[in-house]
Amino acid sequence: MANAQHGGCNDDPDDVVYVPGMDYLSGWREAEEVAREINAAAEVLGVGEVLRAVPHTGPKGEPVVWMWPGGARVIACVLSILASEAQAS
């Protein structure tokens, strides 16, 4: 099942519903591609141990990328730096 629990991230009851015939694989493949891009960039920046993206699909087959709060904080910090630089120029 594409919506298997991963390290306690599965808190939404709708997230574990499996609908026969629903195309979960296409969404998961898209999420996997994006997760690989995020993880590769994190490795280059030296934050790969903190920031780890995990591919997933939502209850309707939509692509979803999970990450732990520490990884989301790294992304928030990088975006904040970029926003400050954009405002300064």
Side-chain angles (χ1 to χ4, degrees):
M1 184 162 107
N3 294 328
Q5 184 172 354
H6 180 77
C9 291
N10 222 353
D11 296 333
D12 186 353
D14 290 338
D15 204 34
V16 295
V17 174
Y18 174 77
V19 179
M22 179 71 67
D23 181 14
Y24 295 105
L25 191 54
S26 293
W28 188 88
R29 284 181 180 147
E30 184 178 347
E32 180 187 32
E33 181 180 332
V34 173
R36 284 182 189 213
E37 292 172 15
I38 292 169
N39 292 336
E43 288 297 325
V44 169
L45 291 172
V47 294
E49 290 183 23
V50 177
L51 200 165
R52 181 61 43 197
V54 179
H56 180 68
T57 54
K60 295 178 182 165
E62 69 275 16
V64 176
V65 177
W66 283 348
M67 66 180 61
W68 296 108
R73 283 189 185 103
V74 169
I75 290 175
C77 181
V78 170
L79 291 175
S80 177
I81 291 168
L82 292 173
S84 294
E85 290 176 357
Q87 288 176 344
S89 57

